[in-house]
Amino acid sequence: MQQLHTDSESLRVYEALASPVRLQIIRQLQEEEMSVKDLAAALGLSSAITSIHVSKLQKAGLISCRNKRIQSGTYKFCSLSAHHLQINLSPAPESSRKLVEISVPIGHYTDVEAHPTCGLASREQLIGQYDAPRFFMDPERMQAGILWFARGYVEYKVPNYLFKNQVLNELEVSMEISSEAPHTREQWPSDIRFAFNGTELGIWTSPGDYGDRRGNFTPDWWPPDVNQYGLLKVLRINGSGTFIDGQRISERRVQDLDWSAGSWTFRMSAEDTGKNRGGLTLFGKGFGNYDQDLLFRVYYDAK
């Protein structure tokens, strides 16, 4: 849920909503993703005018857009990014809830199993060779900005910076992720399993492997016919369960897990289940659309 306040940052959202046309666009997108061309037809406007309204909504974070190639043309498709807004007209009450943020480069994994198609690359070059799992243990892997495999897992150790008088109440993991297809395929579902400290958290199904355009941060030397960008996903574990982008994927709660160790393990796996076995691609800094590594946010209360 997007939080709004009485500040200049929230003003762009209020301005974006202060238009009957833009409210109509939001209503149109409540049911399905639509192209700018189809939106223009539904609104009875030109594509140029519709694009201006779409840009206003996109800058406000209310909708997201992606280019999609259909036959011989490329079209801009839009979908809702926010389904609920909450407006706070007064400052939030003081709370003891605190935050520790840890950014872990995607090449800093501590365990991995990768099966072709697979590989990894830094911002400057391919690390090793395509479809050669042995290079996943190359020391150069620490510089990786992208890694991918058709089947396997990758595991990270995250330091536990909490003291004994601090109680964890929510863990959030933000990542740019997609499936792994030979070359790219938008329709290539993959069941990706998440686990923390050896306990399964749930499964999220990645829709596909995207290559319709170059990622915002993908380096120029990267081939155009392979993974270009992923989807930004937020995994959250709290007292109510485990969620991906607010959608519950399991009943596993933060209090069901043992957080007392000096470090925690986080594993992502794409297994050959016979269904939705589309692999995994992980994007870090210097690749994809978001220029970030694995980002862990640890929320806690002080006793």
Side-chain angles (χ1 to χ4, degrees):
M1 179 183 294
Q2 188 170 343
Q3 300 282 333
L4 301 176
H5 303 274
T6 54
D7 56 17
S8 57
E9 185 68 21
S10 298
L11 183 60
R12 60 182 179 177
V13 179
Y14 303 138
E15 290 176 341
L17 293 172
S19 162
V21 172
R22 292 194 284 275
L23 291 177
Q24 281 185 273
I25 291 174
I26 290 173
R27 283 194 290 270
Q28 291 288 336
L29 296 178
Q30 285 174 347
E31 299 298 326
E32 61 180 348
E33 182 183 58
M34 293 179 67
S35 69
V36 171
K37 180 181 178 181
D38 290 339
L39 279 171
L43 298 170
L45 299 172
S46 69
S47 291
I49 295 298
T50 303
S51 292
I52 293 172
H53 287 291
V54 163
S55 178
K56 190 90 171 178
L57 290 167
Q58 188 177 8
K59 288 178 181 177
L62 296 172
I63 68 173
S64 57
C65 301
R66 66 188 181 102
N67 292 326
K68 187 174 182 180
R69 190 161 183 83
I70 300 176
Q71 295 177 344
S72 59
T74 300
Y75 299 86
K76 186 175 184 177
F77 276 75
C78 309
S79 59
L80 284 183
S81 297
H83 293 272
H84 303 281
L85 301 175
Q86 184 178 71
I87 301 176
N88 297 317
L89 296 178
S90 58
E94 192 67 30
S95 170
S96 62
R97 194 174 194 242
K98 306 294 182 182
L99 165 67
V100 174
E101 191 169 273
I102 308 165
S103 180
V104 179
I106 64 165
H108 284 228
Y109 47 81
T110 52
D111 195 9
V112 66
E113 178 182 299
H115 297 266
T117 50
C118 64
L120 65 168
S122 69
R123 281 171 277 193
E124 290 76 32
Q125 61 186 358
L126 186 71
I127 298 173
Q129 302 170 357
Y130 288 112
D131 298 336
R134 64 185 181 274
F135 287 104
F136 274 78
M137 294 312 296
D138 190 299
E140 187 68 18
R141 76 181 190 274
M142 296 296 181
Q143 308 303 319
I146 184 173
L147 62 83
W148 67 96
F149 47 78
R151 179 169 55 89
Y153 66 83
V154 60
E155 185 174 278
Y156 298 85
K157 278 195 179 294
V158 185
N160 176 7
Y161 291 134
L162 299 185
F163 295 102
K164 289 185 177 180
N165 66 330
Q166 296 170 338
V167 179
L168 178 82
N169 57 38
E170 186 171 74
L171 176 71
E172 182 182 289
V173 188
S174 172
M175 70 204 90
E176 185 175 355
I177 193 169
S178 74
S179 307
E180 157 52 22
H183 298 290
T184 63
R185 289 193 187 182
E186 286 193 13
Q187 304 299 321
W188 192 260
S190 181
D191 287 339
I192 296 174
R193 190 184 307 270
F194 300 97
F196 231 96
N197 293 340
T199 300
E200 183 176 333
L201 297 176
I203 295 174
W204 167 71
T205 302
S206 168
D209 181 358
Y210 304 102
D212 57 305
R213 60 173 175 79
R214 184 167 292 276
N216 293 338
F217 297 96
T218 299
D220 292 339
W221 68 267
W222 187 245
D225 60 343
V226 292
N227 337 53
Q228 297 296 321
Y229 64 92
L231 303 174
L232 187 65
K233 292 292 155 183
V234 178
L235 174 73
R236 184 173 287 108
I237 316 159
N238 56 32
S240 300
T242 300
F243 305 83
I244 289 278
D245 292 348
Q247 299 295 315
R248 187 189 300 273
I249 61 171
S250 81
E251 301 295 325
R252 189 74 66 187
R253 303 172 304 161
V254 70
Q255 54 265 44
D256 296 331
L257 305 175
D258 180 12
W259 303 99
S260 61
S263 62
W264 306 323
T265 61
F266 177 61
R267 176 178 289 202
M268 293 173 280
S269 57
E271 301 166 9
D272 188 356
T273 59
K275 178 186 177 184
N276 295 340
R277 50 182 184 176
L280 181 153
T281 302
L282 192 60
F283 299 82
K285 284 188 175 179
F287 274 85
N289 279 349
Y290 297 96
D291 201 32
Q292 70 162 64
D293 289 311
L294 284 172
L295 187 60
F296 294 83
R297 292 188 178 97
V298 182
Y299 297 91
Y300 65 92
D301 289 324
K303 290 182 180 178

